[in-house]
């Protein structure tokens, strides 16, 4: 065996040994967020960075790398050294993108899930001028429209888009996609009555439901929401299996030693259990989660499979 091969083997043995976590972190930790600064995911990433800095005595920073529908920042992490010093904090867009089109990385093979941070519920809302008050009336009304009923989304391939496409597939509702460039544009159009339907993130829309400007017909989660106990889930209305929440999660490059993954998981989950962080995440309209790497890995793979089926059924997928 050559000297270079011997050194490489020794390094590999060391990296996968329990000693890896004992010496980790040895330098700055970078949390890549593949979106612009200022959003909910960015906020949560900064909470994690602060926690790691305070607890481990090494700086942890957030690096916002938007672009390419989040693929630019994601690809950066996929190619990073698997030593725990480069991580990614991302959203359901990661799983959806893997279903929609071929990416420069493999979402399953190139990453290790660390934990699900939070789950953000969606709800089916309509402008208060629309003459429907429940999901049954909504479906029937959409079918009565020769050209279909327009629904707004924050862009193709977003959670708000796939939520509507899954609804169309399961209910045969006659809905027509009208994409916008973000949630702010959607809300302006929706509140102005220019587009009357939206599968909305509760965080950005609940206040308009409470003001009476918008009417909520159902929520997209498995269980009813504590803030909307009288609003049914779509699943309970006769469409079992319908469920979507816009989650946030933490990932590391494939090859990162398990003891480092476990150390990161323990620290982040511990943070999510503190009252102040739970209150902060709840204010963002999300529900704190905190799962094990094994639980998160199973859920993440299920999410990819789920959205691949929805994308294929809706004619959206070019991934294969």
């Amino acid at each position: 065996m050559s000297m270079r091969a011997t050194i490489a083997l020794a390094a590999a043995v060391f990296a996968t040994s329990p000693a890896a976590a004992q010496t980790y972190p040895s330098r700055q930790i970078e949390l890549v967020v593949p979106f612009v600064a200022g959003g909910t995911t960015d906020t949560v990433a900064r909470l994690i960075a602060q926690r790691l800095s305070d607890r481990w005595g090494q700086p942890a920073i957030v690096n916002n790398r938007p672009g390419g529908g989040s693929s630019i920042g994601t690809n950066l992490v996929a190619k990073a050294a698997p030593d725990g010093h480069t991580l990614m904090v991302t959203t359901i867009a990661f799983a959806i993108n893997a279903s929609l089109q071929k990416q420069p990385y493999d979402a399953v093979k190139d990453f290790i899930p660390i934990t699900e941070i939070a789950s953000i519920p969606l709800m089916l809302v309509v402008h208060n001028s629309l003459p429907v008050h429940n999901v049954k009336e909504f479906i029937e009304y959409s079918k009565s429209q020769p050209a279909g009923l327009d629904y707004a989304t924050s862009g193709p391939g977003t959670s708000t888009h796939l939520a509507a496409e899954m609804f169309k597939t399961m209910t045969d509702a006659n809905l027509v996609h009208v994409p916008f460039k973000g949630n702010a544009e959607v809300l302006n159009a929706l509140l102005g009555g220019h587009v009357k339907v939206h599968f909305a993130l509760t965080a950005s829309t609940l206040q308009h439901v409470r003001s009476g400007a918008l009417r909520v017909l159902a929520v997209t989660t498995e269980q009813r929401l504590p803030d909307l106990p009288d609003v049914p889930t779509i699943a309970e209305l006769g469409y079992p299996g319908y469920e979507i929440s816009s989650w946030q999660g933490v990932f590391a490059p494939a090859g990162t030693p398990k003891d480092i993954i476990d150390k990161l998981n323990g620290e982040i989950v511990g943070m999510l259990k503190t009252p102040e962080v739970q209150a902060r995440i709840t204010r963002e309209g999300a529900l704190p989660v905190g799962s094990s790497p094994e639980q998160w890995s199973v859920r993440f793979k299920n999410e990819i499979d789920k959205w691949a089926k929805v994308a294929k059924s809706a004619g959206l997928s070019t991934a294969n």
Side-chain angles (χ1 to χ4, degrees), residues 202-247:
T202 55
S204 59
T205 316
L206 190 55
Q207 60 179 317
H208 302 296
V209 169
R210 288 172 172 160
S211 73
L214 302 175
R215 183 182 304 130
V216 58
L217 303 183
V219 294
T220 68
T221 46
E222 289 182 334
Q223 306 293 330
R224 295 193 181 195
L225 300 180
D227 287 341
L228 299 167
D230 298 326
V231 178
T233 68
I234 291 173
E236 76 181 74
L237 294 174
Y239 305 100
Y242 185 98
E243 183 276 330
I244 176 173
S245 295
S246 185
W247 47 257

Side-chain angles (χ1 to χ4, degrees), residues 156-179:
T158 58
S159 59
T160 60
H161 183 201
L162 272 293
E165 291 299 327
M166 182 164 57
F167 184 85
K168 283 175 60 178
T169 299
M170 297 180 72
T171 68
D172 291 324
N174 188 12
L175 302 177
V176 179
H177 184 207
V178 180

Side-chain angles (χ1 to χ4, degrees), residues 94-273:
F94 186 27
I96 291 175
N97 286 346
S99 307
L100 290 178
Q101 57 188 351
K102 190 168 181 59
Q103 301 290 341
Y105 51 81
D106 187 301
V108 174
K109 295 179 180 178
D110 292 341
F111 294 88
I112 299 178
I114 296 175
T115 189
E116 181 177 5
I117 305 168
S119 173
I120 306 173
L122 280 74
M123 54 187 178
L124 170 55
V125 298
V126 298
H127 190 266
N128 58 18
S129 65
L130 206 67
V132 299
H133 292 81
N134 56 55
V135 168
K136 182 180 179 180
E137 291 179 356
F138 173 75
I139 295 170
E140 291 174 349
Y141 182 78
S142 74
K143 292 180 178 179
S144 72
Q145 305 300 299
L149 187 58
D150 290 347
Y151 74 91
T153 76
S154 51
T158 58
S159 59
T160 60
H161 183 201
L162 272 293
E165 291 299 327
M166 182 164 57
F167 184 85
K168 283 175 60 178
T169 299
M170 297 180 72
T171 68
D172 291 324
N174 188 12
L175 302 177
V176 179
H177 184 207
V178 180
F180 288 82
K181 294 181 180 179
N183 284 324
E185 286 191 8
V186 170
L187 279 177
N188 287 337
L190 194 63
L191 293 171
H194 307 298
V195 180
K196 294 183 169 60
V197 181
H198 181 43
F199 282 78
L201 297 172
T202 55
S204 59
T205 316
L206 190 55
Q207 60 179 317
H208 302 296
V209 169
R210 288 172 172 160
S211 73
L214 302 175
R215 183 182 304 130
V216 58
L217 303 183
V219 294
T220 68
T221 46
E222 289 182 334
Q223 306 293 330
R224 295 193 181 195
L225 300 180
D227 287 341
L228 299 167
D230 298 326
V231 178
T233 68
I234 291 173
E236 76 181 74
L237 294 174
Y239 305 100
Y242 185 98
E243 183 276 330
I244 176 173
S245 295
S246 185
W247 47 257
Q248 297 165 328
V250 188
F251 296 82
T256 303
K258 187 179 185 305
D259 51 343
I260 290 179
I261 296 294
D262 290 341
K263 184 173 182 177
L264 283 162
N265 176 271
E267 201 61 64
I268 296 170
V269 171
M271 178 198 79
L272 292 171
K273 291 180 179 179

